[in-house]
Amino acid sequence: MDKTDTTSITSFSYDFTTKINREGQGSAKWNLMHEQAEDPLSEGIVPFSVADMELPHPPEVITALHTLLDTTILGYTVPTDSYFQSVIEWQTRRHNWTPQKEWIVTSPGVVPAFHAAIRAFSKPGDGVIIQQPVYYPFMKAITINDRIIVNNALINNKKERCYQIDFADLEQKASNPHNKILLLCSPHNPVGRVWTRNELQRIVDICLRHDVFIISDEIHNDLIMPGYEHTTLLSLVDEVQAKHTMVCTAPSKTFNLAGFQTSNIFIPDADCRKKFQLEFEKLGLGMLNAFGYTACEAAYNNCEVWLEEVLRLI
């Protein structure tokens, strides 16, 4: 996400040089590379097609997982108070806002969360606004749930060398009563924009004016380059406005933990939370993976230095 010049890299506390061979481990992107290759691939190629890292995991996470295996019965597991506290404190430290515990709904991923939210806050045939070019599951989440894609296309400002929001077009599309949701990508994937506080406030104002519910996918919120700052959408709204907003986060991109399928969804309004959770209940989804809870808590509590060193690599 948006990048500025950084000082030269000198030394690291962690191993970022060991090349990991992920052949035969079920890696989605390594398998895909071989499936799509027309010619045999030469030895040593590393695929970069999918957003997981080719770096060893933070050792603090591995230690926590070993401790779990050594000391815990792996039965049905729910998030603990210490888990929720780690999520809250991470948002407070890294993003300067403090959610409440009751706002947090755990999910097996951000993508399942916005599928559920689209079903909870709109009806078949309703429009869902997106800002293309955007992460391809956004489109699938809309069409597979019988909603209509409404594109508020980003403006490619070649002079400024960045994409920008077409606010006039967003206002027009939000004013259409058939369009019920804005599925926002913040920071934006794949164009790399970290939306400014001003831009996000304009989005909030437009959507509130026209009763459009905002689902904010903030999964890349920790991967921000020096000189830029992520603003969570919920830091811009008051108690009444929060009835129109939810924020989706996860440790998966930040700490390379996608395989644990653990995400934290913030929904301040109790009625909205009930509607959202009902969609999960319809699918029989409830408790998450015990290892995911442990990995997320360990990462948020103990791996901030690891993240800072990763950011120096980018």
Side-chain angles (χ1 to χ4, degrees):
M1 300 300 161
D2 288 335
K3 185 173 182 180
T4 59
D5 290 336
T6 58
T7 57
S8 61
I9 295 172
T10 53
S11 62
F12 294 101
S13 307
Y14 296 94
D15 174 14
F16 297 129
T17 59
T18 298
K19 184 177 177 181
I20 309 295
N21 185 347
R22 299 174 70 185
E23 298 281 2
Q25 296 182 359
S27 167
K29 70 178 180 181
W30 280 66
N31 287 358
L32 184 65
M33 173 178 69
H34 292 303
E35 289 170 6
Q36 295 189 347
E38 295 180 2
D39 301 311
L41 293 171
S42 58
E43 187 177 350
I45 289 179
V46 176
F48 294 129
S49 56
V50 175
D52 62 23
M53 300 178 193
E54 298 297 316
L55 300 175
H57 287 100
E60 294 87 351
V61 170
I62 303 304
T63 297
L65 292 170
H66 279 299
T67 300
L68 178 72
L69 285 170
D70 291 340
T71 62
T72 307
I73 293 175
L74 301 174
Y76 295 113
T77 306
V78 297
T80 62
D81 285 341
S82 65
Y83 174 87
F84 286 119
Q85 194 60 35
S86 71
V87 173
I88 291 167
E89 289 178 359
W90 182 260
Q91 293 297 321
T92 302
R93 287 198 314 274
R94 300 294 297 190
H95 303 298
N96 300 311
W97 77 293
T98 302
Q100 296 179 26
K101 175 184 172 182
E102 59 266 26
W103 296 358
I104 304 171
V105 182
T106 56
S107 164
V110 164
V111 172
F114 58 66
H115 274 259
I118 285 170
R119 293 192 298 272
F121 304 120
S122 66
K123 297 177 181 178
D126 286 343
V128 178
I129 303 169
I130 57 175
Q131 295 170 319
Q132 292 176 310
V134 73
Y135 181 50
Y136 72 92
F138 277 38
M139 286 72 80
K140 186 174 182 180
I142 297 167
T143 57
I144 204 169
N145 288 301
D146 300 316
R147 274 64 169 176
I148 308 300
I149 293 172
V150 180
N151 185 25
N152 168 226
L154 297 177
I155 300 167
N156 185 359
N157 187 328
K158 294 182 179 179
K159 183 178 179 181
E160 299 292 330
R161 300 181 67 186
C162 70
Y163 282 83
Q164 297 173 330
I165 297 168
D166 187 338
F167 285 104
D169 182 70
L170 177 60
E171 180 91 49
Q172 181 182 19
K173 284 169 177 164
S175 69
N176 183 332
H178 295 293
N179 299 333
K180 301 297 186 182
I181 291 172
L182 169 65
L183 182 51
L184 177 68
C185 200
S186 176
H188 194 283
N189 177 16
V191 309
R193 274 299 313 279
V194 178
W195 304 121
T196 67
R197 191 176 187 87
N198 254 359
E199 288 170 319
L200 291 169
Q201 188 64 64
R202 290 182 71 182
I203 289 172
V204 168
D205 292 344
I206 288 170
C207 289
L208 289 175
R209 200 154 45 239
H210 301 292
D211 197 25
V212 171
F213 190 89
I214 306 173
I215 305 167
S216 186
D217 174 1
E218 301 186 11
I219 197 169
H220 289 100
N221 61 355
D222 297 316
L223 302 175
I224 307 298
M225 295 298 97
Y228 298 88
E229 182 179 355
H230 171 74
T231 302
T232 185
L233 210 68
L234 285 175
S235 69
L236 302 176
V237 298
D238 60 26
E239 185 176 349
V240 174
Q241 295 167 334
K243 294 177 183 292
H244 299 263
T245 308
M246 62 181 280
V247 164
C248 306
T249 70
S252 54
K253 304 300 184 189
T254 309
F255 297 104
N256 202 26
L257 301 176
F260 288 111
Q261 298 182 312
T262 302
S263 298
N264 300 292
I265 315 304
F266 300 97
I267 310 176
D269 183 71
D271 289 337
C272 289
R273 273 199 312 279
K274 288 178 184 177
K275 289 180 182 178
F276 176 79
Q277 289 172 306
L278 179 60
E279 293 303 323
F280 273 174
E281 290 175 16
K282 289 176 182 178
L283 297 173
L285 296 176
M287 293 170 284
L288 304 185
N289 187 311
F291 296 102
Y293 292 132
T294 296
C296 177
E297 184 174 346
Y300 283 164
N301 285 345
N302 303 315
C303 298
E304 205 153 0
V305 172
W306 184 90
L307 174 59
E308 291 298 336
E309 293 195 358
V310 168
L311 292 175
R312 289 169 57 200
L313 288 172
I314 301 174

